[in-house]
Amino acid sequence: MYPTKFLLSRTLALSASFALCGCDWVVMKPHGDIAGQQAQLIVTSTLLMLLIIVPVIALTLFFAYRYRQSNTEATYSPDWDHSTRLELIIWGAPLLIIIALGAITWISTHKLDPFRPLDRIAEGRPVAADVKPLEVYAVAMDWKWLFIYPEQGIALVNEMAAPVDRPIHFRFTSTSVMNTFYVPALAGMIYAMPGMETQLHAVINKAGVYDGLSAQYSGAGFSDMRFKFHGLSNEDFVRWVETNKAGGNTLSRADYLKLEQPSNKEPIRRFASVEPGLWGAIVDRCVDGKKMCASQMMAIDAAGGAGKGSVASTMRSTWRDADGNKRDRYVVAALCTPTNPLGLPIEIEAGAGNGTNVANASKN
C-alpha cells in the first residue's frame, strides 16, 4: 500500500510541475511600464505579508515540536495567561505591516490611476514635453473589439497597434453589456460599460505581438473575444496605418449598426476612414438616429423633465413674421428626433407649451 501511495503522490507532483511549465509569466514580466509597476506592487505586497506568514508558520512547527508530550525538558506552565512582550510582538508587527500596505496602496492608487496621464514611459525616462499621446477609442461588442484611431482616421476590428515608448490614451465604451479590456503585457484590466466612457493611459516599451482579450464573461462568444496588440517602431506604425488606409472602406453609421450585431470568431476587418461624430454617437447610444441621445436626455431630466424650457441647448432669438411683427423663438441646437436623426438645429416658436412640440419642431 505504501509504495502505491508514494508513487501516486510523486506522479501528481510531476504533473503539477509540467502544468506550471506551460504558464505564461507575462503578468509578472510585462513589457509596459504601467503593467511593470503593477507587477512590482504585487511582489512588494506579497513580501510584506510574508514577513508575518513565514514566522507564524515556523513558530507553529517549532512550538509543536518543542512542547510535545514526550519532551520532559520543556517548561510546563498551566497557569500562565499573559505576557506584555508577546502581546506587543503579536499585535505590533501585523499593525506595522497593515500601515505599510495601506500607505503603498494609497500612493499606488493615485500614481496608477488609469485616468491619470503618464509622466514617464519607463523608470528614469520622463515623457518628453513635445510628445502627444496616441488616441485610441475602443468599443466592446458582442463578441469582438472595435478600435478607432481618430487622428489617423482609421478603424479596425480585433487588431490594434501602437508605437513603442509613446504614451497611449484609451477611451472605452460598450454596446450592450459590461466588458473588460485586458492586455497583460500593457496594463491592468479596465471595464467598458454601455453609455459610459472609461479611460486608460499606458505605454508599451518593447516591440512585439501581444495577446489582448475580454476578461469579463459576456455571453456565448466570450471565449473568442480576443485580439492582437502590435508594439511597433514609429516607422513600422506609419506603414501599418498606411496599409490600413489602403485596404479598407469607410466605417459609416450604417456599417457600424451591422457590425454591432452579435457574431462569433469575427476576423480582422479594416476601415480606411470613419464617419465624423461616430464615437460620440456610440457613447450617447444614438447611432441609428431613431432616438434622443443619452446626454441630451439626461440634460432634459436634470432641468426638470420634458417641456421646451427644459430642452438642452436652447437659446432665444428674435425674428419677424410675415406681417413684420417681432417675435421670440427658441432654437434647439442639438436634439435627435425621428424627423431629425442627426440632431441638426431646429426651431420652436415661443408659444410652444410642452414637450410634444419638440418632436414636431422641424415643422415650425
Side-chain angles (χ1 to χ4, degrees), residues 232-248:
L232 305 173
S233 64
N234 290 325
E235 296 77 13
D236 290 339
F237 180 73
V238 171
R239 285 193 289 268
W240 180 81
V241 171
E242 293 301 324
T243 301
N244 284 283
K245 286 186 175 181

Side-chain angles (χ1 to χ4, degrees), residues 141 144 252-263 269:
M141 298 180 165
K144 49 196 168 283
S252 63
R253 293 194 180 209
D255 293 326
Y256 174 84
L257 293 174
K258 295 178 182 179
L259 187 64
E260 189 181 25
Q261 299 302 314
S263 61
R269 298 174 62 179

Side-chain angles (χ1 to χ4, degrees), residues 134-359:
L134 174 68
E135 294 286 338
V136 180
Y137 301 159
V139 184
M141 298 180 165
D142 296 332
W143 288 273
K144 49 196 168 283
W145 289 92
L146 171 65
F147 300 102
I148 300 174
Y149 289 74
E151 296 177 3
Q152 290 73 25
I154 62 174
L156 299 97
V157 174
N158 287 341
E159 184 184 74
M160 69 165 299
V164 172
D165 290 340
R166 180 179 175 183
I168 312 170
H169 181 202
F170 290 96
R171 296 177 184 269
F172 301 100
T173 192
S174 176
T175 58
S176 57
V177 299
M178 183 182 295
N179 263 293
T180 305
F181 174 89
Y182 187 33
V183 180
L186 181 70
M189 295 179 286
I190 300 295
Y191 281 102
M193 295 166 278
M196 299 179 64
E197 181 182 293
T198 52
Q199 300 182 35
L200 170 66
H201 289 81
V203 63
I204 191 72
N205 299 120
K206 183 179 179 181
V209 181
Y210 307 102
D211 293 324
L213 66 149
S214 171
Q216 172 77 29
Y217 180 75
S218 58
F222 160 76
S223 299
D224 298 308
M225 197 172 170
R226 297 173 177 269
F227 62 93
K228 293 297 182 181
F229 174 83
H230 299 265
L232 305 173
S233 64
N234 290 325
E235 296 77 13
D236 290 339
F237 180 73
V238 171
R239 285 193 289 268
W240 180 81
V241 171
E242 293 301 324
T243 301
N244 284 283
K245 286 186 175 181
N249 301 316
T250 299
L251 179 60
S252 63
R253 293 194 180 209
D255 293 326
Y256 174 84
L257 293 174
K258 295 178 182 179
L259 187 64
E260 189 181 25
Q261 299 302 314
S263 61
N264 292 323
K265 298 182 179 180
E266 188 74 21
I268 296 173
R269 298 174 62 179
R270 309 176 192 279
F271 298 92
S273 60
V274 181
E275 181 176 329
L278 179 60
W279 171 254
I282 295 172
V283 177
D284 261 349
R285 303 184 65 78
C286 55
V287 176
D288 57 4
K290 295 181 180 179
K291 57 180 178 289
M292 185 185 299
C293 294
S295 61
Q296 298 164 343
M297 186 182 301
M298 289 186 286
I300 291 174
D301 292 340
K308 181 186 63 180
S310 300
V311 175
S313 303
T314 60
M315 58 183 179
R316 179 179 296 183
S317 64
T318 302
W319 64 294
R320 292 183 181 273
D321 60 14
D323 298 328
N325 299 319
K326 285 186 177 182
R327 299 183 60 181
D328 289 335
R329 65 181 179 182
Y330 288 88
V331 176
V332 181
L335 184 63
C336 296
T337 67
T339 57
N340 184 21
L342 298 181
L344 300 176
I346 56 179
E347 299 174 356
I348 304 176
E349 291 189 5
N354 54 50
T356 59
N357 291 308
V358 172

